[in-house]
Amino acid sequence: MDFDLTEEQRLLKESVDRLMADAYGDFEKRKHHQDNPQGYSPKLWSQYAEMGLLGLPFSEEQGGFGGGAVETMTVMEAIGRGLAVEPYLATVVLGGGFLRLGGSAAQQEALIPGIAEGSTTLAFAQIERQSRDDLFDVATTARRTDGGWVLDGAKSLVLHGDSAQHLIVSARTAGQRRDRGGISLFVVPADAQGVSRRGYPTQDGLRAAEVLLEGVALPAGALLGAEGEGLALMERVVDVALAALCAEAVGAMEALHELTLDYLKQRKQFGVTIGSFQAVQHRAADMLVALEQARSMSMYAAMMAENPDPAVRRPAIAAAKALVNRSAELIGKEAIQLHGGIAMTMEYKAGHYFKRLTMLVNQFGETDTHLRVVAAAGGLSEAA
């Protein structure tokens, strides 16, 4: 198979890499971006829009540029290398994914142009305190009224939920809390009456929010997709997001590996660089092997992300995430140990890459969760 980028994809990669180098090449710039009330730089977000990154996955008919999973992978790898804090995953991959794959014509027309031009941000409000990794564990309720719907419930760890203009909320319209059926999705304006948000920084330098929904009245047009069939749409969009997270993790691992090699070539002990010790070289080689394995599985995830058949797509994405998780854990831990005490300081990049990788490992399911998906499908050969 030909894994080379096309000319257009290569130009995209070069452009995004330059943007990240300019915006995050100096680590102090990241701290400056984080100091904004939104937790990221609105000016930099506008540059994303000017480059067409925010409209990348949408079709030309939807106001975008018709990019696919490979283009998303290219952008997310650059975001991982730069440790970028902008809400690209929350707004474009997740929020945009719901609109692209399940939104009505009216919802797409109302929101996608704003996403593409950088004026509209979204967040996926799905996690509840009891739900852990189960997308179908939903206690938030939505009941019909004469004019539409009323939502009640609470959501936790809503990525970039404190600054988003709209929330994609999962709520139960039928069934019991852990039933797979009866889940619906809604587009909720963040400033709607009855919506309250408490934002906070996460360990990896991003932001999240606790969201409380108390008698939130919505029009009938707020329903996203078919009533009671939200789980299938959530699984499809989350699979696309998992492929994007794999790419981000590869970008972060690549940068952390390079940072570690550079340190091994400079740090001296007993009068020689520590990189000259064979035992240290073996550990650096193990990091490189893990990185290349993760890169291969990230490419595989990108190829499988748009497959409409969940019986094929879900085990493939799960297998990729499980292996990328293991590589991220190995590279993160080895980097910290090889750097020594300096890696634990807030002023040095290595610890921040480790934190981000740790969060990526657990986002939308830890390793064992994804291995169970692969096992339930009988492995990748049977799933395919």
Side-chain angles (χ1 to χ4, degrees):
M1 297 183 68
D2 184 6
F3 291 101
D4 291 331
L5 298 177
T6 66
E7 180 65 16
E8 291 79 8
Q9 291 167 344
R10 185 182 62 79
L11 291 174
L12 171 66
K13 174 178 169 56
E14 291 175 356
S15 298
V16 179
D17 286 345
R18 280 197 303 270
L19 175 66
M20 291 300 155
D22 292 340
Y24 289 97
D26 180 356
F27 191 56
E28 290 299 316
K29 291 183 178 180
R30 184 176 192 257
K31 300 175 184 177
H32 177 71
H33 299 330
Q34 291 171 312
D35 288 340
N36 286 281
Q38 303 95 323
Y40 63 92
S41 167
K43 181 179 179 181
L44 183 54
W45 189 243
S46 296
Q47 289 183 256
Y48 279 55
E50 291 170 6
M51 292 178 59
L53 303 182
L54 304 186
L56 194 63
F58 303 110
S59 67
E60 293 182 6
E61 294 76 16
Q62 294 171 333
F65 295 92
V70 174
E71 285 75 16
T72 300
M73 177 188 74
T74 301
V75 175
M76 292 299 293
E77 277 192 16
I79 286 174
R81 282 193 294 272
L83 276 183
V85 295
E86 286 70 42
Y88 194 86
L89 179 78
T91 294
V92 179
V93 180
L94 284 168
F98 281 111
L99 293 171
R100 181 169 59 88
L101 298 173
S104 66
Q107 290 167 338
Q108 292 177 352
E109 184 178 350
L111 296 174
I112 288 179
I115 294 174
E117 69 182 19
S119 60
T120 300
T121 55
L122 289 85
F124 180 32
Q126 171 268 327
I127 298 174
E128 299 181 3
R129 292 189 177 185
Q130 81 289 340
S131 63
R132 295 182 65 83
D133 298 329
D134 296 326
L135 293 174
F136 56 83
D137 191 330
V138 177
T140 298
T141 61
R143 55 183 174 84
R144 279 187 177 275
T145 63
D146 292 338
W149 303 89
V150 173
L151 271 60
D152 289 281
K155 299 292 184 177
S156 295
L157 288 169
V158 181
L159 185 63
H160 293 289
D162 57 340
S163 61
Q165 278 102 30
H166 291 83
L167 307 173
I168 307 296
V169 178
S170 59
R172 186 162 293 284
T173 50
Q176 302 300 311
R177 195 195 85 196
R178 289 184 59 81
D179 289 348
R180 295 184 65 84
I183 300 171
S184 301
L185 295 168
F186 298 88
V187 180
V188 181
D191 59 357
Q193 187 172 354
V195 176
S196 57
R197 300 180 288 176
R198 179 177 63 84
Y200 50 87
T202 54
Q203 287 294 321
D204 54 352
L206 303 185
R207 290 193 65 82
E210 303 296 300
V211 177
L212 184 62
L213 307 161
E214 296 179 296
V216 180
L218 300 173
L223 179 67
L224 194 154
E227 179 183 348
E229 299 179 13
L231 180 60
L233 179 57
M234 279 198 291
E235 289 178 339
R236 187 172 181 184
V237 172
V238 167
D239 282 345
V240 173
L242 284 169
L245 290 173
C246 287
E248 183 183 352
V250 167
M253 283 186 272
E254 182 179 46
L256 184 55
H257 182 243
E258 292 173 357
L259 190 66
T260 304
L261 290 182
D262 186 61
Y263 181 78
L264 297 181
K265 293 174 183 178
Q266 296 184 44
R267 177 73 167 89
K268 289 187 175 182
Q269 194 169 12
F270 306 116
V272 296
T273 58
I274 59 176
S276 64
F277 300 133
Q278 190 175 54
V280 172
Q281 292 174 4
H282 287 169
R283 294 174 70 172
D286 288 342
M287 292 172 67
L288 178 61
V289 171
L291 170 61
E292 293 307 315
Q293 288 178 331
R295 193 190 308 278
S296 296
M297 288 304 279
S298 176
M299 292 179 180
Y300 179 56
M303 290 188 295
M304 299 300 293
E306 299 293 342
N307 192 312
D309 185 355
V312 176
R313 183 190 69 247
R314 298 211 72 223
I317 297 294
K321 185 61 160 56
L323 188 141
V324 170
N325 280 359
R326 288 181 170 177
S327 292
E329 290 174 339
L330 185 148
I331 291 174
K333 292 175 181 177
E334 288 286 2
I336 295 297
Q337 291 183 1
L338 290 172
H339 273 90
I342 189 175
M344 304 302 292
T345 63
M346 292 296 291
E347 293 76 20
Y348 193 65
K349 277 187 179 181
H352 295 272
Y353 278 112
F354 178 74
K355 288 180 179 181
R356 182 60 187 146
L357 286 171
T358 301
M359 296 290 276
L360 288 170
V361 164
N362 290 282
Q363 196 163 358
F364 290 121
E366 58 188 5
T367 305
D368 288 348
T369 298
H370 293 293
L371 288 176
R372 284 193 290 269
V373 173
V374 178
L380 293 185
S381 58
E382 289 188 26

